[in-house]
Amino acid sequence: MTTWTNDELERISEADELEMAPLQPHGTARKPVPIWVVRVGDDVYVRSFRGADGAWWRAARATHGGFIRSGGVDKDVTLVEVTDPEINDLIDTAYRTKYGRFGSAYVNPLLAARSTTLRLVPR
């Protein structure tokens, strides 16, 4: 399994947004959408602002693959669903810390969307 380099982790974590282009069932990428991204340790995570109703998230969940661009990093990724409550607690903290300056109207929907948490694994 491929891992993120320290440089990639730093560049992604310093970026405010990540462009997510989930794969469609026939293998081509959807149009990329900007989403917020957080780093916890040596892993990178995203959630759907619109929860399970987010179109990009439904596509990502169906195929578990996609392409991301963030902080000058372009990568094909495998999208792994995260259900561990302890990891999700750390991700909540990361969202509050990184994006709290935007206010609760933007952060709270991501905290409520724990069921949409995906870990991005480089391929």
Side-chain angles (χ1 to χ4, degrees):
M1 179 182 293
T2 305
T3 59
W4 297 106
T5 67
N6 286 333
D7 180 60
E8 290 169 333
L9 286 168
E10 286 296 320
R11 289 165 48 192
I12 292 170
S13 68
E14 289 173 3
D16 274 338
E17 293 183 330
L18 174 143
E19 290 183 17
M20 167 65 73
L23 293 180
Q24 299 178 83
H26 60 274
T28 62
R30 290 174 47 97
K31 181 180 175 184
V33 295
I35 59 175
W36 284 355
V37 57
V38 295
R39 174 185 177 183
V40 175
D42 290 337
D43 291 311
V44 177
Y45 299 92
V46 295
R47 289 180 177 165
S48 172
F49 182 84
R50 290 185 172 79
D53 292 331
W56 76 263
W57 184 82
R58 290 191 318 268
R61 187 171 185 224
T63 63
H64 297 283
F67 177 81
I68 62 107
R69 175 173 288 144
S70 183
V73 177
D74 297 354
K75 283 280 186 187
D76 290 314
V77 293
T78 300
L79 307 166
V80 180
E81 294 179 55
V82 178
T83 58
D84 183 309
E86 291 180 15
I87 293 173
N88 269 299
D89 288 345
L90 296 172
I91 295 166
D92 286 351
T93 299
Y95 272 110
R96 283 186 196 103
T97 301
K98 183 173 181 180
Y99 297 108
R101 69 187 187 275
F102 293 103
S104 60
Y106 294 100
V107 176
N108 287 350
L110 289 164
L111 303 180
R114 288 171 72 126
S115 65
T116 68
T117 304
L118 297 172
R119 181 168 51 99
L120 308 181
V121 180
R123 290 190 276 154

